[in-house]
Amino acid sequence: KAGVTQTPRYLIKTRGQQVTLSCSPISGHRSVSWYQQTPGQGLQFLFEYFSETQRNKGNFPGRFSGRQFSNSRSEMNVSTLELGDSALYLCASSFSPPSVDYGYTFGSGTRLTVV
Amino acid sequence: AQKVTQAQTEISVVEKEDVTLDCVYETRDTTYYLFWYKQPPSGELVFLIRRNSFDEQNEISGRYSWNFQKSTSSFNFTITASQVVDSAVYFCAFGASGGGADGLTFGKGTHLIIQP
């Protein structure tokens, strides 16, 4: 059974650019959550998607957005990149909401560096 | 809002020693889940355990054991006879049952170094 797949694995972008990260959940999992991990703030919840709808969103500016497709794959987008957006972005899949009750499986993450 | 505290930033022990990682949480929720994850240098968060707030039984899985004490809001993790492969960053996390708006709340993590 394939795990959670995140692409790309590494990414380098310039300030002001935008970036799109992709996450394919485990087959059969329909809920996808995104987390940002930085040395200063640690792991922080970005948002959760189910049935192509955003269910919850963490305390992040509007530059951070996402979407989910009918096959449950999800993308997150960060526009107008800032140096502080450099982080490891982790995707987690769950069978269904409430995701906490079903448990999460995390991917290996996308490491974004903004220069 | 929930809060998870892992007071130990870094722990270094010699192989075969036992080591306990502390986790204290704060919440007003009555039903919730607690988690432990392991993060090796590759970055992936590896699931170790999930515990429901109604289940205070301690759990043992091989060299790993967990002590959940609701009275002290703690969910500590012990590795017995540590091995070099146990070296990683370990995170404790909280999630409100039923789908809280905040997803999982993580502690800052404990970097565990097992020296040969």
Side-chain angles (χ1 to χ4, degrees):
Chain A
K1 184 175 179 181
V4 179
T5 304
Q6 291 190 246
T7 57
R9 190 77 175 90
Y10 299 93
L11 207 49
I12 300 176
K13 289 287 187 178
T14 304
R15 268 183 304 175
Q17 288 186 315
Q18 74 167 15
V19 66
T20 299
L21 312 181
S22 178
C23 172
S24 293
I26 289 174
S27 178
H29 282 195
R30 299 176 294 161
S31 178
V32 174
S33 302
W34 289 89
Y35 288 81
Q36 181 197 63
Q37 184 177 20
T38 60
Q41 299 299 316
L43 280 152
Q44 293 184 287
F45 171 69
L46 279 159
F47 27 62
E48 178 183 11
Y49 285 88
F50 173 72
S51 289
E52 303 175 61
T53 301
Q54 187 181 90
R55 296 190 72 246
N56 297 303
K57 183 172 183 180
N59 189 24
F60 279 83
R63 299 185 299 108
F64 291 82
S65 63
R67 60 176 175 170
Q68 186 180 35
F69 302 94
S70 58
N71 62 358
S72 295
R73 188 178 71 88
S74 176
E75 291 181 345
M76 67 162 283
N77 183 278
V78 187
S79 62
T80 320
L81 283 166
E82 302 177 357
L83 295 179
D85 297 332
S86 295
L88 178 66
Y89 289 88
L90 290 162
C91 167
S93 81
S94 179
F95 174 70
S96 173
S99 296
V100 170
D101 293 34
Y102 286 96
Y104 299 85
T105 301
F106 282 83
S108 297
T110 293
R111 190 166 294 279
L112 170 66
T113 302
V114 181
V115 297
Chain B
Q2 301 87 2
K3 183 179 179 181
V4 177
T5 301
Q6 294 179 257
Q8 304 147 312
T9 304
E10 183 175 289
I11 299 175
S12 181
V13 300
V14 177
E15 197 172 21
K16 296 184 183 177
E17 286 187 17
D18 298 347
V19 58
T20 295
L21 282 59
D22 297 332
C23 173
V24 174
Y25 62 94
E26 297 174 29
T27 184
R28 292 184 178 180
D29 292 296
T30 56
T31 308
Y32 50 88
Y33 287 90
L34 297 166
F35 300 77
W36 276 95
Y37 286 92
K38 174 182 180 180
Q39 187 175 47
S42 60
E44 180 178 359
L45 283 176
V46 178
F47 170 80
L48 296 177
I49 190 173
R50 182 177 64 140
R51 173 66 68 197
N52 184 289
S53 55
F54 291 117
D55 183 2
E56 288 193 68
Q57 279 193 343
N58 292 334
E59 180 156 339
I60 298 174
S61 177
R63 296 183 297 105
Y64 295 171
S65 63
W66 291 268
N67 181 276
F68 176 31
Q69 292 196 340
K70 212 167 177 178
S71 60
T72 57
S73 298
S74 65
F75 187 41
N76 297 336
F77 171 34
T78 297
I79 301 175
T80 303
S82 60
Q83 300 176 2
V84 172
V85 293
D86 295 328
S87 297
V89 181
Y90 290 85
F91 290 94
C92 179
F94 173 100
S97 180
D102 301 325
L104 287 180
T105 299
F106 286 86
K108 293 295 188 185
T110 296
H111 185 198
L112 179 62
I113 301 169
I114 309 298
Q115 301 178 26

